[in-house]
Amino acid sequence: MIPPIASTFVAGETPAEALDHARRLNDRDVGAILNLLGEHYDAPGPAAADRDAYRDLVEDIAGAGGDVCISVKPSQVGLDVGEETFRENLSAVVDHAAERDVFVWVDMEDHTTTDATLAAYEDLAREHDGGVGVCLQANLERTREDVARLADVPGKVRLVKGAYDEPSEVAYTDKARVNEAYRELLELAFERYDGGVAVGSHDPEMIEYATELHDEHGTDFEIQMLMGVREDAQYDLAADHEVWQYVPYGDRWLSYFYRRVAERKENLLFAARAVLTG
Ligand code: FAD
């Protein structure tokens, strides 16, 4: 069982608990992006197991209805095993989801995986004429080109600042420069994209800027935030915007919880306060 301190950031260990959480979010006009925790499998077995778990989850989502989609990590469905395994497993998930009208996001991992992830995404998005989205990271220097190139692909793009420590040969390592890059990428995406842009950030300044760009260009956008981070803001923003919460679940919750705390020490305090105040 997940201890109360971690349950601020993780919905539970089972799909049923994740779907219960999704239902509660939907009741407050927030969509749910379900992510089964798991990554960096170096053998085909666990990657196939998570592929199958996602296919089962898609069945459950289609049966339950509501604003619920999924988000898959490339190394969770076989990228560390090999590109072919990754592509087969991801296609199996996306094909299954497309038949049931469930949207699939593809998370982005470190820069060594970007080419393989974008190639798989692009093929699937074209094959299904949308129904799939990919994450792009503002800290990578290449991302401006990727945003421009993907404008003609019929899927969606989630812009984030980037969660991985990347070398200075390929990435901006200064926080202010990453913020500047994020703004520039928002501008480019709002100018070029007609399928919508997902703003994957908790940063009030970036959300405000996206709102201004929407007013200027008319481009649709959605706001995506993590479970347990600025949740009150998520509910407030949902009054005027499309808001989705990224909801991790599964039994591999410990390392995810540590990552949230390592990223921002206040998260530990925040989680402890949530436990104490019930
Ligand atoms: P930060 O620069 O961390 O914070 C900016 C401001 O936001 C802060 O000053 C504060 O005002 C507010 N804020 C941030 N955190 C908190 C908090 N805990 N409590 C209160 N206020 C806070 N990264 C990847 O590399 N690949 C992915 O596939 C990926 N997917 C993601 C999906 C979603 C839905 C989200 C939200 C993030 C994802 N990320 C991903 C992580 C992302 O790259 C960032 O590491 C993470 O979102 C932190 O950056 P930030 O934009 O929220 O702003």
Side-chain angles (χ1 to χ4, degrees):
M1 202 182 116
I2 296 184
I5 192 134
S7 61
T8 307
F9 301 105
V10 179
E13 291 195 322
T14 65
E17 287 168 297
L19 285 163
D20 274 351
H21 183 81
R23 209 166 301 122
R24 286 193 291 276
L25 288 176
N26 283 187
D27 286 345
R28 302 187 73 170
D29 293 327
V30 173
I33 307 169
L34 303 189
N35 169 254
L36 170 62
L37 290 165
E39 60 193 320
H40 295 304
Y41 301 140
D42 53 11
D50 278 16
R51 172 201 66 202
D52 294 344
Y54 272 120
R55 284 162 61 96
D56 291 346
L57 179 65
V58 160
E59 297 282 339
D60 293 344
I61 292 172
D67 289 330
V68 187
C69 62
I70 62 172
S71 206
V72 179
K73 283 206 180 339
S75 72
Q76 168 174 39
V77 289
L79 189 54
D80 290 0
V81 179
E83 202 168 331
E84 203 180 323
T85 307
F86 162 56
R87 277 188 170 244
E88 279 172 13
N89 286 337
L90 185 64
S91 296
V93 173
V94 172
D95 294 351
H96 201 67
E99 281 167 21
R100 287 153 187 82
D101 215 12
V102 174
F103 195 90
V104 180
W105 284 100
V106 184
D107 287 350
M108 187 61 79
E109 297 174 284
D110 73 73
H111 78 279
T112 62
T113 67
T114 312
D115 282 332
T117 303
L118 292 187
Y121 159 73
E122 202 170 332
D123 285 353
L124 288 167
R126 290 194 193 283
E127 186 186 328
H128 293 286
D129 197 24
V132 55
V134 73
C135 179
L136 291 179
Q137 299 148 320
N139 63 333
L140 295 188
E141 288 179 21
R142 61 173 287 164
T143 298
R144 190 171 177 84
E145 247 172 63
D146 292 330
V147 169
R149 186 166 58 85
L150 295 183
D152 296 331
V153 175
K156 278 197 202 177
V157 163
R158 169 204 299 154
L159 280 180
V160 300
K161 291 186 186 175
Y164 296 83
D165 279 334
E166 302 282 12
S168 58
E169 292 78 35
V170 297
Y172 308 118
T173 50
D174 173 54
K175 199 165 169 44
R177 182 66 188 95
V178 175
N179 285 339
E180 191 186 333
Y182 195 92
R183 285 170 166 271
E184 290 165 0
L185 295 172
L186 281 177
E187 287 161 14
L188 185 63
F190 274 81
E191 273 166 28
R192 301 264 185 99
Y193 282 50
D194 46 23
V197 179
V199 178
S201 176
H202 311 101
D203 192 335
E205 284 183 23
M206 299 307 162
I207 292 165
E208 177 62 32
Y209 194 43
T211 308
E212 286 169 26
L213 290 167
H214 164 77
D215 292 344
E216 189 181 337
H217 299 284
T219 314
D220 287 337
F221 77 105
E222 63 192 65
I223 298 161
Q224 299 186 356
M225 295 196 202
L226 303 180
M227 180 179 173
V229 180
R230 298 195 69 213
E231 287 207 351
D232 288 344
Q234 296 178 29
Y235 302 132
D236 289 347
L237 285 162
D240 299 310
H241 301 283
E242 183 177 337
V243 178
W244 291 78
Q245 184 182 100
Y246 186 101
V247 180
Y249 76 97
D251 55 15
R252 299 182 191 92
W253 50 266
L254 191 60
S255 53
Y256 180 81
F257 176 66
Y258 281 147
R259 201 183 310 156
R260 294 280 75 81
V261 171
E263 182 176 273
R264 196 177 165 94
K265 301 290 175 287
E266 294 95 310
N267 278 341
L268 186 59
L269 204 64
F270 176 70
R273 199 180 303 133
V275 172
L276 293 173
T277 57

